[in-house]
Amino acid sequence: ARPILPIVAFFMGDLRDGLPMLNMQAAYLLVSKNFSEKQVATLSLAFGISQILCIGPAGYFLDYSSNKIKWVSFAGAATSACTVFIAMTALPGGKNMGLMILFRILQ
């Protein structure tokens, strides 16, 4: 009845914390963009706090939604897009940390 469900379920395991490259993103920011460990930790902290604050309302929303698969697919695509956007727009030395923190929270 729902042929898309196995496909969505297959890819959702990799999107729990962003893309599988999330840890690689930290290494990329440290090495290629000259971020400090403190800046990378700040991004991780913003991501972790936003997850804690949003998990309850998101679960409540999905429990009462009639389009669960579409919302979960959208959330996965948005998470992937934010992860790639953060890596692509990072300025050397973290000069745009405010923007990066915002997208980490949205992610």
Side-chain angles (χ1 to χ4, degrees):
R2 296 181 179 173
I4 190 91
L5 187 58
I7 296 168
V8 171
F10 179 77
F11 288 105
M12 282 298 117
D14 289 335
L15 291 173
R16 184 180 65 88
D17 290 329
L19 293 175
M21 301 292 280
L22 190 63
N23 292 331
M24 297 294 286
Q25 185 184 45
Y28 169 76
L29 293 174
L30 284 168
V31 175
S32 297
K33 297 295 183 174
N34 300 320
F35 274 52
S36 68
E37 290 85 2
K38 183 178 177 181
Q39 290 170 317
V40 172
T42 301
L43 289 174
S44 295
L45 177 68
F47 183 64
I49 289 173
S50 66
Q51 278 184 322
I52 291 168
L53 295 176
C54 293
I55 194 76
Y60 183 81
F61 173 75
L62 280 177
D63 283 345
Y64 292 100
S65 173
S66 59
N67 296 315
K68 291 174 179 59
I69 296 172
K70 290 179 184 175
W71 281 112
V72 170
S73 300
F74 172 75
T79 298
S80 299
C82 285
T83 302
V84 171
F85 181 80
I86 289 169
M88 290 176 52
T89 61
L91 294 177
K95 293 179 183 173
N96 62 340
M97 275 297 285
L99 178 66
M100 293 181 70
I101 289 172
L102 174 68
F103 272 93
R104 243 350 185 180
I105 291 170
L106 293 175
Q107 183 181 21

XYZ file of all heavy atoms in Angstrom:
808
model
N 0.817 -1.192 0.000
C 0.000 0.000 0.000
C 0.864 1.261 0.000
O 0.470 2.275 -0.530
C -0.922 0.002 1.212
N 2.033 1.183 0.628
C 2.928 2.341 0.698
C 4.299 1.959 0.152
O 5.217 1.647 0.911
C 3.053 2.818 2.132
C 1.755 3.326 2.692
C 1.943 3.811 4.081
N 0.665 4.306 4.582
C 0.477 4.671 5.821
N 1.462 4.628 6.679
N -0.685 5.112 6.200
N 4.473 1.983 -1.156
C 5.740 1.529 -1.738
C 6.929 2.429 -1.403
O 8.071 1.994 -1.485
C 5.462 1.520 -3.240
C 4.331 2.476 -3.424
C 3.519 2.410 -2.162
N 6.690 3.664 -1.009
C 7.791 4.575 -0.715
C 8.373 4.339 0.676
O 9.514 4.685 0.962
C 7.338 6.042 -0.881
C 8.511 7.003 -0.814
C 6.364 6.424 0.201
C 9.127 7.300 -2.109
N 7.610 3.709 1.569
C 8.034 3.535 2.959
C 9.363 2.796 3.103
O 10.227 3.248 3.850
C 6.933 2.855 3.765
C 7.163 2.755 5.267
C 7.361 4.144 5.864
C 5.999 2.062 5.936
N 9.600 1.675 2.426
C 10.909 1.014 2.578
C 12.081 1.884 2.110
O 13.153 1.853 2.695
C 10.788 -0.241 1.708
C 9.334 -0.472 1.562
C 8.683 0.876 1.616
N 11.856 2.681 1.094
C 12.919 3.558 0.592
C 13.235 4.646 1.611
O 14.393 4.918 1.916
C 12.510 4.171 -0.765
C 12.367 3.064 -1.804
C 13.514 5.216 -1.221
C 11.700 3.495 -3.076
N 12.195 5.261 2.151
C 12.379 6.301 3.162
C 13.058 5.716 4.398
O 14.009 6.297 4.937
C 11.030 6.956 3.532
C 11.172 7.868 4.727
C 10.479 7.725 2.347
N 12.616 4.559 4.840
C 13.186 3.925 6.033
C 14.651 3.575 5.825
O 15.462 3.693 6.747
C 12.390 2.679 6.392
N 15.023 3.176 4.615
C 16.416 2.822 4.323
C 17.342 4.019 4.503
O 18.417 3.905 5.089
C 16.524 2.276 2.897
C 17.926 1.921 2.502
C 18.505 0.754 2.971
C 18.656 2.749 1.668
C 19.804 0.420 2.610
C 19.947 2.427 1.308
C 20.523 1.250 1.779
N 16.923 5.182 4.035
C 17.786 6.356 4.102
C 17.708 7.108 5.426
O 18.614 7.859 5.763
C 17.470 7.308 2.945
C 17.941 6.784 1.629
C 17.038 6.273 0.717
C 19.282 6.788 1.311
C 17.468 5.777 -0.494
C 19.723 6.283 0.107
C 18.817 5.775 -0.806
N 16.655 6.943 6.194
C 16.511 7.687 7.446
C 17.546 7.291 8.491
O 17.921 8.107 9.324
C 15.110 7.498 8.032
C 14.056 8.326 7.355
S 14.357 10.089 7.520
C 14.578 10.567 5.835
N 18.031 6.078 8.451
C 19.058 5.668 9.404
C 20.321 6.494 9.285
O 21.022 6.744 10.268
N 20.637 6.944 8.091
C 21.829 7.759 7.871
C 21.616 9.223 8.203
O 22.566 9.996 8.246
C 22.285 7.658 6.414
C 22.876 6.308 6.093
O 23.367 5.659 7.030
O 22.842 5.900 4.930
N 20.394 9.633 8.432
C 20.113 11.052 8.633
C 19.818 11.431 10.077
O 19.380 12.529 10.348
C 18.931 11.470 7.762
C 19.231 11.480 6.286
C 17.964 11.733 5.497
C 20.263 12.525 5.952
N 20.074 10.545 10.992
C 19.757 10.835 12.387
C 20.479 12.087 12.870
O 19.908 12.929 13.527
C 20.123 9.647 13.272
C 19.736 9.839 14.719
C 20.135 8.636 15.526
N 21.569 8.459 15.565
C 22.367 9.021 16.460
N 21.881 9.801 17.378
N 23.655 8.793 16.432
N 21.732 12.239 12.561
C 22.516 13.393 13.006
C 23.000 14.226 11.832
O 24.087 14.790 11.858
C 23.722 12.935 13.823
C 23.331 12.381 15.162
O 22.328 12.856 15.702
O 24.015 11.478 15.653
N 22.230 14.332 10.813
C 22.678 15.035 9.617
C 23.083 13.984 8.607
O 22.522 12.910 8.562
N 24.042 14.269 7.835
C 24.547 13.284 6.891
C 25.577 12.398 7.574
O 26.117 12.759 8.613
C 25.206 13.989 5.703
C 24.271 14.783 4.810
C 25.074 15.528 3.765
C 23.281 13.876 4.129
N 25.876 11.241 6.998
C 26.940 10.418 7.577
C 28.268 11.167 7.637
O 29.143 10.819 8.394
C 27.042 9.230 6.627
C 25.748 9.170 5.920
C 25.237 10.582 5.874
N 28.380 12.217 6.872
C 29.619 12.989 6.824
C 29.681 14.058 7.908
O 30.527 14.929 7.866
C 29.748 13.651 5.451
C 29.755 12.678 4.299
S 31.227 11.681 4.279
C 32.344 12.833 3.554
N 28.787 14.010 8.904
C 28.755 15.049 9.924
C 30.087 15.164 10.649
O 30.604 16.264 10.851
C 27.632 14.768 10.918
C 27.321 15.880 11.893
C 26.825 17.112 11.146
C 26.270 15.432 12.883
N 30.677 14.035 11.043
C 31.981 14.084 11.692
C 33.061 14.528 10.721
O 34.018 15.181 11.110
C 32.326 12.733 12.310
C 31.420 12.417 13.477
O 30.947 13.322 14.150
N 31.162 11.150 13.694
N 32.889 14.162 9.466
C 33.837 14.621 8.453
C 33.709 16.123 8.260
O 34.682 16.797 7.955
C 33.594 13.889 7.125
C 33.818 12.404 7.199
S 35.533 12.002 7.518
C 36.238 12.375 5.944
N 32.508 16.654 8.467
C 32.312 18.088 8.344
C 33.115 18.821 9.410
O 33.713 19.858 9.133
C 30.833 18.433 8.465
C 30.544 19.892 8.232
C 29.084 20.223 8.463
O 28.493 19.785 9.444
N 28.517 20.991 7.573
N 33.159 18.290 10.610
C 33.952 18.899 11.670
C 35.428 18.899 11.290
O 36.119 19.918 11.453
C 33.732 18.159 12.984
N 35.915 17.788 10.761
C 37.312 17.727 10.327
C 37.564 18.698 9.175
O 38.604 19.370 9.129
C 37.659 16.302 9.909
N 36.615 18.796 8.261
C 36.744 19.734 7.139
C 36.848 21.174 7.633
O 37.686 21.942 7.171
C 35.543 19.570 6.198
C 35.416 20.649 5.160
C 36.246 20.659 4.044
C 34.467 21.658 5.289
C 36.133 21.656 3.085
C 34.346 22.651 4.341
C 35.182 22.643 3.243
O 35.069 23.637 2.311
N 35.987 21.537 8.582
C 36.015 22.897 9.109
C 37.317 23.179 9.860
O 37.868 24.276 9.757
C 34.816 23.141 10.021
C 33.446 23.134 9.339
C 32.336 23.229 10.375
C 33.339 24.258 8.325
N 37.810 22.194 10.590
C 39.058 22.373 11.328
C 40.256 22.526 10.403
O 41.080 23.426 10.576
C 39.300 21.191 12.274
C 38.474 21.147 13.544
C 38.600 19.791 14.209
C 38.908 22.249 14.491
N 40.343 21.662 9.416
C 41.531 21.615 8.566
C 41.462 22.618 7.415
O 42.388 23.399 7.202
C 41.748 20.183 8.031
C 42.899 20.139 7.053
C 41.987 19.223 9.176
N 40.370 22.619 6.685
C 40.302 23.434 5.466
C 39.892 24.876 5.718
O 40.312 25.765 4.990
C 39.312 22.818 4.481
O 39.749 21.558 4.076
N 39.064 25.104 6.728
C 38.554 26.452 6.958
C 39.151 27.105 8.199
O 38.706 28.173 8.620
C 37.026 26.424 7.080
C 36.326 25.964 5.823
C 36.545 26.929 4.689
C 35.776 26.504 3.453
N 35.856 27.510 2.393
N 40.146 26.466 8.805
C 40.868 27.018 9.958
C 39.952 27.381 11.127
O 40.155 28.399 11.774
C 41.710 28.223 9.543
C 42.734 27.854 8.504
O 43.345 26.792 8.572
N 42.911 28.710 7.518
N 38.949 26.563 11.391
C 38.094 26.755 12.556
C 38.840 26.271 13.792
O 39.665 25.362 13.715
C 36.799 25.948 12.419
C 35.716 26.648 11.667
C 35.933 27.191 10.418
C 34.455 26.752 12.205
C 34.931 27.815 9.721
C 33.432 27.381 11.523
C 33.682 27.920 10.278
N 38.528 26.849 14.918
C 39.091 26.346 16.170
C 38.193 25.224 16.686
O 37.046 25.079 16.254
C 39.184 27.468 17.203
O 37.885 27.876 17.602
N 38.734 24.458 17.626
C 37.928 23.398 18.227
C 36.717 23.990 18.940
O 35.644 23.387 18.967
C 38.762 22.579 19.225
C 39.824 21.715 18.575
C 41.126 22.467 18.310
O 41.229 23.666 18.674
O 42.031 21.861 17.737
N 36.882 25.162 19.504
C 35.781 25.832 20.199
C 34.648 26.169 19.237
O 33.465 26.022 19.570
C 36.302 27.096 20.871
C 35.278 27.837 21.682
C 35.901 29.056 22.342
C 34.873 29.861 23.116
N 35.465 31.046 23.728
N 34.970 26.622 18.034
C 33.943 26.960 17.056
C 33.186 25.717 16.593
O 31.958 25.746 16.457
C 34.570 27.679 15.861
C 35.056 29.070 16.189
C 35.879 29.662 15.069
O 36.714 28.997 14.471
N 35.636 30.939 14.788
N 33.906 24.622 16.357
C 33.253 23.376 15.946
C 32.371 22.850 17.082
O 31.244 22.395 16.849
C 34.300 22.324 15.514
C 33.649 20.975 15.274
C 35.026 22.790 14.265
N 32.861 22.950 18.315
C 32.069 22.510 19.463
C 30.819 23.367 19.638
O 29.756 22.862 20.013
C 32.913 22.543 20.731
N 30.914 24.662 19.338
C 29.753 25.549 19.422
C 28.685 25.126 18.424
O 27.493 25.101 18.747
C 30.171 27.014 19.185
O 31.133 27.386 20.160
C 28.987 27.950 19.250
N 29.101 24.769 17.224
C 28.144 24.290 16.224
C 27.487 22.987 16.676
O 26.274 22.811 16.538
C 28.835 24.088 14.876
C 29.244 25.349 14.132
C 30.052 24.983 12.901
C 28.036 26.165 13.761
N 28.272 22.089 17.238
C 27.719 20.824 17.719
C 26.770 21.049 18.892
O 25.733 20.387 18.999
C 28.845 19.878 18.138
O 29.618 19.526 17.024
N 27.113 21.974 19.759
C 26.249 22.291 20.889
C 24.913 22.868 20.419
O 23.849 22.471 20.906
C 26.938 23.280 21.828
C 26.117 23.747 23.027
C 25.889 22.593 23.987
C 26.803 24.901 23.719
N 24.959 23.781 19.465
C 23.720 24.365 18.924
C 22.843 23.277 18.312
O 21.621 23.264 18.501
C 24.050 25.433 17.888
N 23.469 22.340 17.608
C 22.724 21.243 16.988
C 22.100 20.346 18.055
O 20.931 19.980 17.967
C 23.660 20.444 16.081
C 22.992 19.334 15.338
C 22.014 19.605 14.404
C 23.357 18.024 15.549
C 21.400 18.587 13.688
C 22.755 16.992 14.854
C 21.781 17.279 13.926
N 22.872 20.003 19.082
C 22.369 19.130 20.137
C 21.229 19.742 20.933
O 20.224 19.087 21.213
N 21.367 21.020 21.286
C 20.310 21.690 22.044
C 19.040 21.811 21.206
O 17.938 21.598 21.708
C 20.791 23.062 22.546
C 21.832 22.863 23.651
C 19.626 23.898 23.068
C 22.493 24.138 24.113
N 19.190 22.124 19.935
C 17.999 22.236 19.084
C 17.306 20.886 18.930
O 16.079 20.818 18.861
C 18.349 22.833 17.724
O 19.183 21.960 16.995
N 18.071 19.792 18.899
C 17.464 18.466 18.832
C 16.641 18.191 20.084
O 15.514 17.695 20.000
C 18.537 17.383 18.713
C 19.056 17.176 17.330
C 20.036 16.018 17.289
O 20.825 15.817 18.202
N 19.982 15.256 16.222
N 17.202 18.503 21.244
C 16.506 18.258 22.498
C 15.205 19.061 22.565
O 14.165 18.558 22.983
C 17.413 18.592 23.695
C 18.548 17.563 23.781
C 16.635 18.623 25.002
C 19.648 17.947 24.733
N 15.260 20.320 22.145
C 14.085 21.185 22.225
C 13.006 20.842 21.207
O 11.827 21.093 21.442
C 14.500 22.647 22.064
C 15.383 23.222 23.169
C 15.808 24.647 22.823
C 14.671 23.179 24.507
N 13.390 20.272 20.081
C 12.432 20.055 18.994
C 11.879 18.641 18.914
O 10.884 18.410 18.219
C 13.075 20.412 17.661
S 13.416 22.165 17.501
N 12.485 17.680 19.594
C 12.057 16.297 19.425
C 10.623 16.066 19.916
O 9.854 15.358 19.269
C 13.052 15.318 20.088
C 12.804 13.896 19.614
C 12.977 15.382 21.600
C 13.297 13.624 18.248
N 10.250 16.688 21.025
C 8.888 16.526 21.543
C 7.830 17.118 20.639
O 6.888 16.419 20.229
N 7.959 18.408 20.290
C 6.960 18.991 19.382
C 6.909 18.300 18.012
O 5.830 18.140 17.440
C 7.416 20.444 19.242
C 8.200 20.718 20.477
C 8.858 19.421 20.831
N 8.061 17.866 17.504
C 8.060 17.178 16.210
C 7.328 15.848 16.306
O 6.553 15.485 15.410
C 9.489 16.964 15.722
N 7.546 15.109 17.387
C 6.841 13.846 17.586
C 5.346 14.040 17.727
O 4.549 13.287 17.172
N 4.969 15.062 18.466
C 3.549 15.379 18.639
C 2.920 15.723 17.288
O 1.830 15.251 16.962
C 3.405 16.546 19.615
C 1.985 16.921 19.921
C 1.240 16.202 20.850
C 1.375 17.999 19.274
C -0.072 16.545 21.141
C 0.069 18.346 19.549
C -0.653 17.618 20.485
O -1.942 17.954 20.748
N 3.623 16.535 16.503
C 3.130 16.921 15.178
C 2.954 15.686 14.288
O 1.926 15.528 13.619
C 4.088 17.920 14.534
C 3.764 18.250 13.114
C 2.707 19.091 12.804
C 4.496 17.705 12.079
C 2.388 19.390 11.493
C 4.190 17.997 10.763
C 3.132 18.837 10.470
N 3.949 14.807 14.284
C 3.866 13.623 13.432
C 2.785 12.651 13.899
O 2.161 11.980 13.081
C 5.212 12.912 13.366
C 6.224 13.532 12.415
C 7.542 12.792 12.476
C 5.703 13.566 10.990
N 2.583 12.566 15.207
C 1.536 11.667 15.712
C 0.163 12.036 15.157
O -0.663 11.159 14.893
C 1.482 11.695 17.237
C 2.597 10.891 17.871
O 3.233 10.093 17.151
O 2.831 11.074 19.077
N -0.091 13.303 14.983
C -1.409 13.753 14.535
C -1.461 14.119 13.055
O -2.485 14.568 12.577
C -1.884 14.922 15.397
C -2.179 14.467 16.803
C -1.262 14.661 17.818
C -3.356 13.796 17.092
C -1.513 14.207 19.105
C -3.619 13.331 18.368
C -2.696 13.545 19.369
O -2.941 13.082 20.631
N -0.368 13.928 12.355
C -0.333 14.233 10.929
C -0.869 13.048 10.125
O -0.660 11.890 10.476
C 1.106 14.530 10.495
O 1.174 14.670 9.098
N -1.529 13.363 9.039
C -2.000 12.296 8.148
C -1.012 12.049 7.006
O -1.212 11.149 6.203
C -3.372 12.654 7.582
O -3.302 13.870 6.867
N 0.052 12.839 6.941
C 1.066 12.711 5.885
C 2.440 12.438 6.491
O 3.410 13.125 6.184
C 1.122 13.985 5.039
C -0.151 14.234 4.300
O -0.711 13.306 3.715
N -0.629 15.459 4.318
N 2.547 11.442 7.327
C 3.790 11.164 8.055
C 4.981 10.937 7.132
O 6.054 11.473 7.345
C 3.603 9.973 8.979
C 2.683 10.241 10.144
C 2.443 8.965 10.932
C 1.556 9.177 12.125
N 0.246 9.699 11.868
N 4.785 10.119 6.114
C 5.894 9.775 5.224
C 6.395 11.012 4.482
O 7.606 11.215 4.341
C 5.476 8.667 4.242
C 5.166 7.381 5.016
C 6.566 8.406 3.217
C 4.561 6.287 4.189
N 5.496 11.850 4.039
C 5.910 13.070 3.331
C 6.690 14.004 4.245
O 7.696 14.578 3.849
C 4.697 13.785 2.757
C 4.064 13.051 1.608
C 2.851 13.779 1.091
C 2.175 12.967 0.005
N 0.935 13.568 -0.443
N 6.236 14.167 5.499
C 6.926 15.048 6.439
C 8.299 14.506 6.804
O 9.268 15.268 6.913
C 6.091 15.279 7.692
C 5.011 16.284 7.482
C 3.668 16.051 7.472
C 5.171 17.680 7.227
N 2.988 17.221 7.228
C 3.889 18.227 7.075
C 6.273 18.521 7.115
C 3.678 19.584 6.823
C 6.069 19.867 6.856
C 4.789 20.378 6.711
N 8.401 13.205 7.009
C 9.701 12.609 7.346
C 10.654 12.716 6.162
O 11.842 13.013 6.325
C 9.526 11.145 7.807
C 10.861 10.433 7.927
C 8.790 11.104 9.136
N 10.151 12.506 4.951
C 10.981 12.663 3.751
C 11.458 14.101 3.597
O 12.633 14.350 3.294
C 10.202 12.251 2.503
O 9.810 10.920 2.581
N 10.560 15.044 3.825
C 10.925 16.459 3.753
C 11.983 16.806 4.795
O 12.951 17.503 4.502
C 9.691 17.346 3.941
C 10.024 18.803 4.071
C 10.392 19.549 2.969
C 10.003 19.413 5.316
C 10.720 20.883 3.095
C 10.327 20.752 5.463
C 10.688 21.493 4.344
N 11.804 16.312 6.016
C 12.772 16.592 7.086
C 14.142 16.017 6.744
O 15.172 16.655 6.992
C 12.268 16.024 8.410
N 14.178 14.840 6.167
C 15.453 14.249 5.756
C 16.138 15.045 4.671
O 17.350 15.283 4.720
N 15.370 15.490 3.687
C 15.945 16.302 2.610
C 16.430 17.653 3.135
O 17.503 18.129 2.751
C 14.907 16.497 1.504
N 15.663 18.249 4.037
C 16.069 19.540 4.609
C 17.321 19.394 5.457
O 18.211 20.258 5.425
C 14.928 20.123 5.447
N 17.422 18.310 6.216
C 18.619 18.059 7.021
C 19.848 17.913 6.140
O 20.903 18.484 6.417
C 18.430 16.787 7.881
O 17.339 17.001 8.763
C 19.665 16.457 8.668
N 19.703 17.168 5.059
C 20.821 16.996 4.123
C 21.218 18.322 3.490
O 22.404 18.638 3.379
C 20.443 16.003 3.029
O 20.150 14.760 3.590
N 20.229 19.103 3.085
C 20.512 20.391 2.450
C 21.216 21.336 3.419
O 22.175 22.025 3.029
C 19.217 21.020 1.948
N 20.788 21.366 4.671
C 21.438 22.243 5.663
C 22.873 21.818 5.930
O 23.757 22.658 6.080
C 20.650 22.269 6.968
S 19.146 23.250 6.877
N 23.120 20.507 5.988
C 24.474 20.014 6.222
C 25.403 20.436 5.089
O 26.511 20.916 5.322
C 24.471 18.487 6.381
O 23.615 18.139 7.459
C 25.863 17.964 6.659
N 24.952 20.266 3.862
C 25.759 20.649 2.708
C 25.926 22.168 2.655
O 27.022 22.679 2.379
C 25.129 20.108 1.403
C 25.817 20.664 0.180
C 25.160 18.589 1.406
N 24.867 22.901 2.953
C 24.932 24.368 2.943
C 25.956 24.888 3.945
O 26.719 25.805 3.645
C 23.549 24.955 3.241
C 23.523 26.454 3.225
C 23.451 27.139 2.021
C 23.587 27.183 4.403
C 23.439 28.526 1.998
C 23.576 28.567 4.385
C 23.497 29.239 3.173
N 25.982 24.295 5.131
C 26.931 24.732 6.154
C 28.360 24.533 5.668
O 29.207 25.420 5.815
C 26.680 23.987 7.485
C 25.383 24.481 8.124
C 27.843 24.174 8.455
C 24.911 23.630 9.278
N 28.640 23.387 5.078
C 29.997 23.116 4.590
C 30.369 24.039 3.428
O 31.499 24.511 3.342
C 30.117 21.660 4.169
N 29.419 24.321 2.553
C 29.718 25.135 1.372
C 29.881 26.614 1.694
O 30.628 27.312 1.006
C 28.617 24.957 0.323
C 28.614 23.599 -0.327
S 27.247 23.371 -1.486
C 27.385 24.790 -2.529
N 29.197 27.103 2.702
C 29.223 28.543 2.976
C 30.154 28.924 4.116
O 30.214 30.098 4.482
C 27.809 29.056 3.302
O 27.323 28.381 4.460
C 26.872 28.862 2.131
N 30.880 27.971 4.660
C 31.785 28.277 5.771
C 32.908 29.192 5.291
O 33.570 28.912 4.299
C 32.357 26.989 6.341
N 33.086 30.278 5.990
C 34.177 31.195 5.677
C 35.381 30.860 6.553
O 35.226 30.390 7.677
C 33.752 32.642 5.921
C 32.641 33.176 5.008
C 32.272 34.597 5.400
C 33.072 33.119 3.552
N 36.577 31.104 6.057
C 37.774 30.795 6.848
C 37.748 31.484 8.214
O 37.368 32.646 8.332
C 38.917 31.336 5.984
C 38.381 31.301 4.592
C 36.915 31.606 4.731
N 38.130 30.724 9.213
C 38.193 31.265 10.562
C 36.846 31.441 11.225
O 36.757 32.018 12.300
N 35.785 30.984 10.603
C 34.452 31.095 11.199
C 33.901 32.507 11.205
O 33.205 32.907 12.130
N 34.189 33.260 10.162
C 33.734 34.661 10.115
C 32.224 34.795 10.004
O 31.686 35.850 10.297
C 34.420 35.384 8.960
C 35.905 35.537 9.180
C 36.574 36.222 8.027
C 38.065 36.267 8.289
N 38.811 36.766 7.154
N 31.546 33.739 9.590
C 30.077 33.776 9.505
C 29.449 32.765 10.468
O 28.488 32.078 10.141
C 29.609 33.537 8.072
C 29.998 32.173 7.547
O 30.899 31.534 8.055
N 29.313 31.729 6.507
N 29.960 32.718 11.678
C 29.477 31.755 12.671
C 27.988 31.934 12.973
O 27.286 30.963 13.207
C 30.275 31.873 13.975
C 31.562 31.083 13.987
S 31.332 29.310 13.838
C 30.760 28.911 15.472
N 27.511 33.165 12.996
C 26.095 33.396 13.277
C 25.201 32.686 12.281
O 24.226 32.021 12.656
N 25.518 32.801 11.000
C 24.748 32.125 9.955
C 24.862 30.610 10.086
O 23.874 29.887 9.947
C 25.225 32.567 8.567
C 24.542 31.915 7.371
C 23.073 32.344 7.321
C 25.257 32.277 6.093
N 26.050 30.144 10.395
C 26.249 28.700 10.515
C 25.486 28.141 11.725
O 24.903 27.067 11.645
C 27.740 28.397 10.616
C 28.457 28.721 9.319
S 30.185 28.370 9.383
C 30.148 26.600 9.424
N 25.474 28.876 12.835
C 24.723 28.434 14.003
C 23.232 28.407 13.686
O 22.515 27.473 14.063
C 25.034 29.329 15.226
C 26.462 29.054 15.715
C 24.026 29.104 16.340
C 26.943 29.998 16.781
N 22.748 29.425 12.974
C 21.341 29.453 12.578
C 20.973 28.216 11.758
O 19.961 27.571 12.029
C 21.032 30.736 11.787
C 19.644 30.811 11.192
C 18.590 30.928 12.297
C 19.528 31.975 10.229
N 21.800 27.861 10.789
C 21.484 26.691 9.964
C 21.668 25.396 10.731
O 21.008 24.410 10.452
C 22.283 26.708 8.665
C 21.581 27.459 7.599
C 21.839 28.808 7.395
C 20.625 26.850 6.819
C 21.159 29.518 6.431
C 19.937 27.548 5.849
C 20.214 28.893 5.666
N 22.548 25.387 11.707
C 22.676 24.206 12.575
C 21.416 24.004 13.402
O 20.959 22.889 13.598
C 23.852 24.388 13.506
C 25.019 23.523 13.478
C 24.970 22.316 12.685
N 26.203 21.626 12.964
C 26.531 20.502 12.453
N 25.720 19.904 11.632
N 27.647 19.942 12.735
N 20.850 25.096 13.877
C 19.609 25.013 14.651
C 18.455 24.568 13.754
O 17.647 23.729 14.128
C 19.309 26.351 15.342
C 20.336 26.595 16.453
C 17.895 26.383 15.908
C 20.300 27.977 17.041
N 18.375 25.116 12.547
C 17.329 24.719 11.608
C 17.468 23.268 11.176
O 16.477 22.601 10.881
C 17.334 25.625 10.383
C 16.940 27.080 10.608
C 17.109 27.872 9.323
C 15.519 27.166 11.121
N 18.684 22.806 11.142
C 18.947 21.443 10.715
C 18.288 20.486 11.670
O 17.763 19.480 11.335
C 20.441 21.208 10.648
C 20.826 19.863 10.145
C 22.329 19.678 10.132
O 23.026 20.373 10.837
N 22.812 18.783 9.345
